[in-house]
Amino acid sequence: MSFVDWSAAGKVAHRLIADGPAVSLGEAHAAVEDLRDAAERARGPVAETARMPSPSSAESPVLIVDRTVWTDINLASTSALLDPVIEQVFAKKQPGPVSRAVSAKVGAAEVGAVFGFVASKVLGQFDIAPGGTPSLLLVAPNIVATERELHADPTDFRLWVCLHEETHRVQLTGVPWLREHMIERTRALMLDLVPDPDQLGERVQQAARALPGLLREGGGGLADLVTTAEQREKMADLTAVMSLMEGHADVVMDDVGPQVVPSVAEIRRKFTARRGGSGGVDRLLRRLLGLDAKMRQYRDGAIFVRAVTEKVGIDGFNEVWTSPETLPTAREIENPADWVARVHS
């Protein structure tokens, strides 16, 4: 038995997933075909602009999914990522069957609630699929809902989204070592974050003391409750790589945009305003889950990419993909000149 009942988590998430936008069967089929075409059209411009090889469909297929399928795929990937970590933590000291069963059900409720909320937010994603075949996911109902909310041209908006996600596909399959590196680093960090059973009571007390500052601006959300200063530093360096990837995808999509997306300037303006425009319960949940920090990744990463490119050009920037040692640290993401000095000295 896993320490999270992933099947039960899926059922919880399915119950919480909000309905998608109202579309006819014909509109749904048209949106799927349009997104499939947009994903294919994004490949050439992204590879040319990023100066990186584009993977074949066999290496990482493009899947057009709804919110439920997106949830199921991500639960499977999360299980493949985390179960080996949790098994390793408890390898030497196994809890009793009752304790483990209760933990699995509680974990299912928590994980299911998170995925049920996030399922209606994600437009696209590159699924790294630990142990499986990675794929590019485009969440059709969310894309349709967002383009309607922004009053954006559907053809332009769908291609614009695909430019961003195709960049992630290029990063994580065109750079041979990056996908496995991210999986290994994430597992190592999670192994460090998951408390030893004997330390659980101390961690709960630490969490209670930290609660008053949980929702502050700039916080990391629930992650701040379970991390020491040393762990936060490790998390910051992993976050720096994610910032690099998100910022690079934003820069590529905006650089390609004027060539193939006529209304790109209007889309970017509206979309940026939308990223910062959450309020009420949605804003609270974003802070709890650390999604506000996710928004900062786009901004900080894009600033880093543009600053480095201005200094050493695109090929000079692409040295970042040479090895794990050339990835930026958290300090370097905020000070691009330090990365340039270290890598191009």
Side-chain angles (χ1 to χ4, degrees):
M1 178 189 293
S2 170
F3 279 86
V4 175
D5 186 334
W6 297 103
S7 175
K11 292 175 183 177
V12 171
H14 291 175
R15 287 197 300 269
L16 295 176
I17 292 173
D19 293 334
V23 295
S24 68
L25 185 59
E27 289 173 326
H29 283 307
V32 169
E33 290 307 312
D34 198 22
L35 283 168
R36 203 180 307 280
D37 177 67
E40 182 62 31
R41 287 190 292 130
R43 291 182 60 181
V46 166
E48 181 179 352
T49 300
R51 296 185 188 172
M52 298 171 69
S54 178
S56 68
S57 297
E59 293 176 87
S60 55
V62 177
L63 305 179
I64 316 300
V65 300
D66 62 16
R67 293 170 177 176
T68 299
V69 173
W70 176 87
T71 298
D72 291 343
I73 291 173
N74 274 269
L75 283 170
S77 290
T78 305
S79 170
L81 184 69
L82 296 187
D83 275 349
V85 174
I86 298 174
E87 290 295 340
Q88 187 173 345
V89 169
F90 291 98
K92 295 182 179 180
K93 186 173 184 179
Q94 290 282 347
V98 174
S99 174
R100 187 160 181 163
V102 171
S103 173
K105 293 300 180 184
V106 171
E110 294 171 344
V111 171
V114 170
F115 277 95
F117 173 74
V118 176
S120 63
K121 309 295 180 185
V122 177
L123 302 183
Q125 172 200 355
F126 187 84
D127 172 41
I128 62 174
T133 301
S135 59
L136 192 158
L137 309 178
L138 297 171
V139 190
N142 295 351
I143 292 173
V144 170
T146 303
E147 69 194 23
R148 289 180 178 180
E149 178 188 339
L150 300 180
H151 302 288
D153 176 89
T155 300
D156 283 5
F157 185 74
R158 293 166 190 179
L159 178 55
W160 189 71
V161 170
C162 288
L163 294 173
H164 183 100
E165 302 307 333
E166 173 63 18
T167 306
H168 286 319
R169 196 167 80 104
V170 165
Q171 293 164 345
L172 286 157
T173 55
V175 180
W177 53 268
L178 184 58
R179 172 173 166 261
E180 197 59 38
H181 174 74
M182 294 300 292
I183 292 171
E184 291 174 359
R185 281 191 66 175
T186 301
R187 281 178 172 161
L189 178 61
M190 293 304 299
L191 186 60
D192 193 40
L193 291 177
V194 175
D196 181 278
D198 293 334
Q199 298 175 348
L200 191 55
E202 180 183 343
R203 286 292 181 89
V204 171
Q205 294 178 15
Q206 175 189 339
R209 291 193 297 269
L211 271 172
L214 175 65
L215 299 180
R216 71 190 187 280
E217 288 286 351
L222 292 172
D224 284 350
L225 295 182
V226 293
T227 52
T228 65
E230 182 180 359
Q231 289 166 343
R232 282 195 292 272
E233 184 177 352
K234 293 179 181 178
M235 186 179 292
D237 281 339
L238 181 59
T239 300
V241 181
M242 296 177 181
S243 295
L244 166 72
M245 295 167 64
E246 294 294 358
H248 181 233
D250 259 13
V251 168
V252 170
M253 74 190 294
D254 284 348
D255 286 352
V256 173
Q259 307 169 39
V260 296
V261 182
S263 58
V264 64
E266 180 183 5
I267 290 174
R268 167 55 73 191
R269 177 179 58 79
K270 291 180 177 179
F271 196 77
T272 300
R274 177 182 180 271
R275 276 179 176 171
S278 301
V281 174
D282 185 76
R283 184 67 171 174
L284 173 64
L285 288 171
R286 281 181 173 276
R287 288 196 189 177
L288 282 170
L289 298 177
L291 295 181
D292 277 357
K294 175 74 170 178
M295 295 302 101
R296 293 195 298 276
Q297 288 178 19
Y298 294 97
R299 181 197 65 203
D300 295 346
I303 291 172
F304 173 85
V305 173
R306 292 204 180 279
V308 170
T309 302
E310 182 177 346
K311 188 76 173 177
V312 296
I314 295 175
D315 292 333
F317 164 77
N318 279 342
E319 289 293 314
V320 79
W321 313 116
T322 304
S323 72
E325 286 70 35
T326 55
L327 292 172
T329 64
R331 179 179 56 80
E332 289 170 340
I333 279 286
E334 297 180 356
N335 300 278
D338 291 349
W339 180 88
V340 172
R342 177 171 68 87
V343 174
H344 288 276
S345 60

